[in-house]
Amino acid sequence: MKILVVGGGAREHALAWKLGREPGVTDVLCAPGNAGTGASAGCSLDVSDPAAILALAEAEAIDLTVVGPELPLALGVRDLFASHGQLLFGPSRAGAQLESSKAFAKNFMHRHGVPTARFRVCDTVGDALEAVSGAAFGFPVVVKADGLAAGKGVTVAPDRATAERAVRDAMVDGRFGSAGHRVVVEECLVGQEVSFFAICDGRTAVALPTAQDHKRVFDGDKGPNTGGMGAFAPSPLVTPDIEARIRQEVVEPVLEGFAAQGDPYLGFLYVGLMLTADGPRVIEFNVRLGDPEAQVVLPMVSDDLAPVFEAAARGALETSRLDGTGDPHVGVVLASGGYPGPYETGVPIDGLDTAAGLEGVLVFHAGTGVRDGSVVTTGGRVLTVVGRGADVAQAIDRAYAAEACITFARKQVRTDIGQKALPGR
Ligand code: AMP
Ligand code: GLY
């Protein structure tokens, strides 16, 4: 089987790495890829152009395309592939609305009884200002731009002034473009956040290991939100009982809801949850794997995933569970100084081979490229180094030992990734 992985982050490197070592897979092309997915395998590709993705899949005689980021899915890449008889693992444009429109996701959850924060969808500034007045949801209150905003569209506002500013930023000043013309205002949930991933074929779902992300840029969950500064898997918080509730109260109603509309949901379903005192509540849906969660989740799976993705893409999963190693994995993101704000690129990176040679370590590339034969930075999140351990403490030690080997000017890392998973924390 020849597979195309669409995307160029560490999540896609991890997907390409996992699929590339499976016996049924003859070749993996990762596009646009990065310095880690291999110069020969990489090629330029605009992921916001579904027709270009289809043209590449046809030109390369790809048997199965697996999509990393949400954008091509929201732009209907699956629908285009289906109309050309090409196999792609990922939801249709209709399914991708679970991520591309928070209003769609909230209304869908409301209709199908999926537990989530109380909310109001606001189409006018007046409506939104009224919703953040404190009467409906108190404080803190959460203001979310409706559309895709590269992870920056959510404000957890401690008071009315901050909430009103968030409303005006989105709806008046157009900070998120058309993504912010509508906002969702919702109650603030309190609890620990966990990520649950399922591989869906429209009727059934196979769960991947659970994970926890570290979204804030600084240690101790301080500073602005980022795409994710590190992750660990499995999450000790997701007990078998919680997992059963997530399947029953969230995943099954989602699959049934789309099936009833005649548009079965096929693809990854990423459920971001808050474990509240009243039980699990959905914070958000994504229609892809998380990044950096994928980098710790995929190495835990010992089953071959290519046949699972292929069967799911055909709507015919035969597996109901996956075998995992069970060993904890911890992934530390190495970012460019200044991220998630402005940062420099083109900075040379040293020590990659030394890090990758350490026992129990994987090095996944994100914002990297090759210049004059050397690997340089090209983005905000540059690498994810992953440690596998017999226990969490060893996984943390291995990840940070590898992190220490890799140097580049103004490298930025959190030093507390995985601490939350240590027993007794
Ligand atoms: P999202 O972009 O939807 O993932 O939201 C970004 C972050 O905002 C989440 O990871 C949460 O930490 C926080 N957040 C979103 N919605 C809520 C909520 N209703 N209550 C508390 N925190 C939230
Ligand atoms: N790590 C969060 C995300 O991928 O959305």
Side-chain angles (χ1 to χ4, degrees):
M1 194 189 324
K2 190 171 176 187
I3 299 183
L4 169 63
V5 174
V6 176
R11 167 184 54 207
E12 289 77 21
H13 189 184
L15 274 166
W17 166 82
K18 167 71 181 148
L19 294 168
R21 48 211 305 270
E22 298 182 0
V25 177
T26 48
D27 204 1
V28 180
L29 187 72
C30 183
N34 55 43
T37 58
S40 60
C43 65
S44 69
L45 178 72
D46 177 1
V47 299
S48 69
D49 184 352
I53 301 172
L54 176 66
L56 178 63
E58 288 180 339
E60 293 288 338
I62 296 294
D63 300 301
L64 173 69
T65 298
V66 179
V67 180
E70 64 280 7
L71 185 60
L73 298 166
L75 294 173
V77 71
R78 182 190 167 85
D79 313 67
L80 183 67
F81 268 61
S83 68
H84 285 74
Q86 293 283 340
L87 200 60
L88 178 142
F89 182 59
S92 65
R93 183 200 294 262
Q97 288 177 95
L98 278 182
E99 177 164 0
S100 66
S101 169
K102 295 197 189 285
F104 174 90
K106 295 297 288 196
N107 286 326
F108 184 98
M109 286 190 266
H110 184 64
R111 277 202 310 284
H112 297 287
V114 175
T116 188
R118 289 185 300 113
F119 70 103
R120 194 191 296 172
V121 176
C122 304
D123 283 298
T124 65
V125 181
D127 200 15
L129 290 177
E130 208 277 317
V132 301
S133 68
F137 305 110
F139 296 103
V141 67
V142 183
V143 180
K144 301 184 169 184
D146 177 48
L148 296 178
K152 300 192 172 93
V154 175
T155 304
V156 180
D159 50 48
R160 186 168 176 172
T162 312
E164 289 185 347
R165 202 174 322 121
V167 167
R168 292 206 168 88
D169 272 357
M171 300 184 91
V172 182
D173 299 339
R175 186 164 160 216
F176 311 110
S178 60
H181 291 168
R182 168 189 282 171
V183 300
V184 174
V185 175
E186 64 182 43
E187 94 184 282
C188 186
L189 300 170
V190 180
Q192 297 255 39
E193 276 185 68
V194 298
S195 305
F196 180 89
F197 304 99
I199 296 166
C200 305
D201 77 342
R203 298 164 297 134
T204 50
V206 177
L208 285 163
T210 57
Q212 284 177 239
D213 189 9
H214 300 64
K215 284 208 168 98
R216 304 297 192 98
V217 70
F218 300 128
D219 284 9
D221 294 329
K222 303 265 175 17
N225 259 327
T226 68
M229 293 296 291
F232 58 83
S235 165
L237 301 174
V238 185
T239 59
D241 174 52
I242 301 266
E243 176 164 343
R245 285 190 67 176
I246 296 170
R247 280 176 163 278
Q248 211 178 345
E249 296 174 21
V250 182
V251 180
E252 287 170 18
V254 167
L255 295 184
E256 282 163 17
F258 278 106
Q261 282 169 221
D263 192 2
Y265 186 95
L266 301 92
F268 293 114
L269 180 66
Y270 163 160
V271 190
L273 297 133
M274 192 78 90
L275 302 182
T276 74
D278 301 321
R281 296 280 179 276
V282 175
I283 294 180
E284 61 163 349
F285 286 120
N286 294 307
V287 298
R288 51 173 174 81
L289 289 179
D291 183 344
E293 292 99 317
Q295 294 90 295
V296 290
V297 162
L298 293 171
M300 283 186 65
V301 179
S302 41
D303 279 327
D304 289 347
L305 283 176
V308 179
F309 295 160
E310 187 193 24
R314 292 189 194 284
L317 266 178
E318 282 168 10
T319 323
S320 60
R321 59 180 301 278
L322 295 172
D323 284 329
T325 66
D327 283 347
H329 284 62
V330 171
V332 177
V333 170
L334 283 61
S336 299
Y339 173 81
Y343 51 81
E344 209 186 321
T345 58
V347 180
I349 307 171
D350 288 315
L352 288 165
D353 290 341
T354 314
L358 298 179
E359 196 190 341
V361 164
L362 294 164
V363 177
F364 295 121
H365 290 232
T368 66
V370 179
R371 197 181 63 191
D372 303 332
S374 313
V375 180
V376 298
T377 65
T378 60
R381 290 192 291 174
V382 177
L383 300 152
T384 307
V385 292
V386 176
R388 184 193 75 233
D391 55 24
V392 182
Q394 187 182 36
I396 294 174
D397 286 349
R398 284 176 166 177
Y400 278 104
E403 180 275 314
C405 295
I406 300 174
T407 53
F408 55 90
R410 299 199 61 210
K411 176 178 88 171
Q412 179 181 218
V413 290
R414 271 181 65 159
T415 65
D416 62 347
I417 304 299
Q419 297 287 331
K420 275 187 243 185
L422 289 171
R425 293 295 174 111

